[in-house]
Amino acid sequence: MARHIYQCPLRWSDMDAFGHVNNAVFVRYLEEARIDFMFRLAPGDGSPSFSGGSVVARHEIDYVRPLVHRHEPVTIESWVTKIGAASLTIAYEIKDADQVYVRASTVVVPFDLEAQRPRRISAEERSFLEEYVDDGSDSGSGALAA
């Protein structure tokens, strides 16, 4: 199983009054990693995959430890835990080499912007996503691995 790796820069404005990255900011970090991952398939090669849009149906986040501002980016590893007919689940770890700050998952639904409704995952999208599927194991907390 491959994992998508995204190096996410930390911004000074990401910190809250307690001196660590605010919990709401982590949702933005997950979005940046997810878009970087999903658009690996689409625009550059002229593929229509994922370019029609997608919506987030659910986020689940476990905050493991505080992350404070520094100049080095934080690593976000992403992988797929489930592919359905019209949705997929992406799991994440926001981490450094020696510690995890956040474990999370997002249910994403491909969306037809023109018709304004969810759509099925295409064969090309499924083939791409299957390269990143983790079939179980030690990919986070029980709730996120489900």
Side-chain angles (χ1 to χ4, degrees), residues 19-124:
H20 53 71
V21 174
N22 184 274
N23 65 300
V25 171
F26 283 104
V27 175
R28 186 172 359 127
Y29 291 172
L30 298 176
E31 176 186 52
E32 290 178 26
R34 183 175 61 256
I35 296 303
D36 189 69
F37 168 56
M38 292 177 70
F39 279 22
R40 296 279 169 174
L41 177 61
D45 299 327
S47 169
S49 294
F50 297 124
S51 61
S54 62
V55 294
V56 169
R58 176 182 172 86
H59 281 302
E60 187 173 338
I61 303 174
D62 289 334
Y63 300 96
V64 178
R65 66 181 311 135
L67 175 62
V68 297
H69 183 268
R70 78 280 179 99
H71 296 292
E72 299 81 29
V74 68
T75 299
I76 304 177
E77 291 187 8
S78 307
W79 63 96
V80 177
T81 58
K82 182 179 178 183
I83 305 171
S87 68
L88 62 124
T89 303
I90 300 173
Y92 318 81
E93 285 184 342
I94 300 177
K95 61 195 263 182
D96 288 325
D98 60 341
Q99 59 191 340
V100 174
Y101 301 102
V102 166
R103 289 188 178 97
S105 67
T106 303
V107 176
V108 178
V109 176
F111 198 78
D112 183 332
L113 294 172
E114 190 175 305
Q116 285 296 293
R117 65 173 196 243
R119 65 170 179 80
R120 291 192 158 310
I121 294 172
S122 73
E124 181 184 32

